[in-house]
Amino acid sequence: EVQLVESGGGLVKPGGSLRLSCAASGFTFSSYSMNWVRQAPGKGLEWVSSISSSSSYIYYADSVKGRFTISRDNAKNSLYLQMNSLRAEDTAVYYCAREVQLWPDFDYWGQGTLVTVSS
Amino acid sequence: DIVMTQTPLSSPVTLGQPASISCRSSQSLVHSDGNTYLSWLQQRPGQPPRLLIYKISNRFSGVPDRFSGSGAGTDFTLKISRVEAEDVGVYYCMQATQFPQTFGQGTKVEIK
């Protein structure tokens, strides 16, 4: 069974940093591109970042470019999102999502971790 | 970025009756490889999104056959043939034809 479990969320002050993790199991993690997608409270879904299976290709939404860094450790079956210079508008539930191997749909999602940026 | 527009934003439905959600994209979703990467996601209250339909009309693993997708080009539809209580939630269309993937605003399906 595919499982994605996020952790690392919490309350942080504007300008602060946080590192999110996503632990994957039930599939060959190193064979899949992975993504972070966020959802502000009561709002819709916004793609944040993606990383290819071997970390060769990395992409960011314009809203987080230069502040967030995605990475992965295939030996640990883990995905990460380092978030710096956090702003109030980054407040959201952050989901990690697996990308279908042959096209960029998201077939499995984690439960999400809440990041709150507030003074 | 491709803009995805869903209608209606809210859909009160009687149990056992059909429901239909429309999604329109700001440009054609036909990829250069000939496929159309339009999917539908379901988000039940307090739950993460779940993939229901991919490439317009293909049901994902475990999705009941009362869910169906159709459409082409820029206009797409998700239909629920007979709404059940467990179908309550928000439904999103998503395009993966052009980077970055973008989502519709969501349509809330609730029971009358």
Side-chain angles (χ1 to χ4, degrees), chain A residues 20-101:
Chain A
L20 305 184
S21 299
C22 171
S25 61
F27 65 101
T28 304
F29 180 72
S30 59
S31 296
Y32 289 82
S33 293
M34 297 295 295
N35 292 257
W36 288 99
V37 179
R38 68 184 180 183
Q39 186 172 36
K43 302 296 185 183
L45 300 164
E46 179 190 16
W47 171 81
V48 172
S49 182
S50 68
I51 185 168
S52 62
S53 57
S54 60
S55 304
S56 299
Y57 301 97
I58 287 175
Y59 304 99
Y60 299 99
D62 288 344
S63 56
V64 307
K65 202 172 293 182
R67 301 186 299 122
F68 289 12
T69 303
I70 192 172
S71 62
R72 63 191 295 161
D73 185 336
N74 287 342
K76 294 183 178 179
N77 291 338
S78 292
L79 174 72
Y80 306 102
L81 187 67
Q82 177 67 44
M83 304 186 295
N84 299 331
S85 304
L86 282 161
R87 306 167 180 166
E89 54 265 35
D90 296 319
T91 294
V93 174
Y94 285 73
Y95 297 102
C96 68
R98 191 181 83 166
E99 196 169 299
V100 176
Q101 281 188 307

Side-chain angles (χ1 to χ4, degrees), chain A residues 9-20:
Chain A
L11 175 63
V12 61
K13 289 182 169 52
S17 299
L18 215 52
R19 189 195 195 207
L20 305 184

Side-chain angles (χ1 to χ4, degrees), chain A residues 39 43-45 47 59 95 99 103-111, chain B residues 37 39 41 43 48-49 51 54-55 60 92 94 96 99-101 103:
Chain A
Q39 186 172 36
K43 302 296 185 183
L45 300 164
W47 171 81
Y59 304 99
Y95 297 102
E99 196 169 299
W103 67 89
D105 263 330
F106 307 138
D107 59 354
Y108 288 96
W109 298 63
Q111 288 291 321
Chain B
Y37 297 114
S39 59
L41 305 169
Q43 187 173 32
L51 180 62
Y54 62 93
K55 288 197 278 187
F60 190 58
Y92 296 92
M94 186 193 103
F99 175 84
Q101 294 93 328
F103 301 87

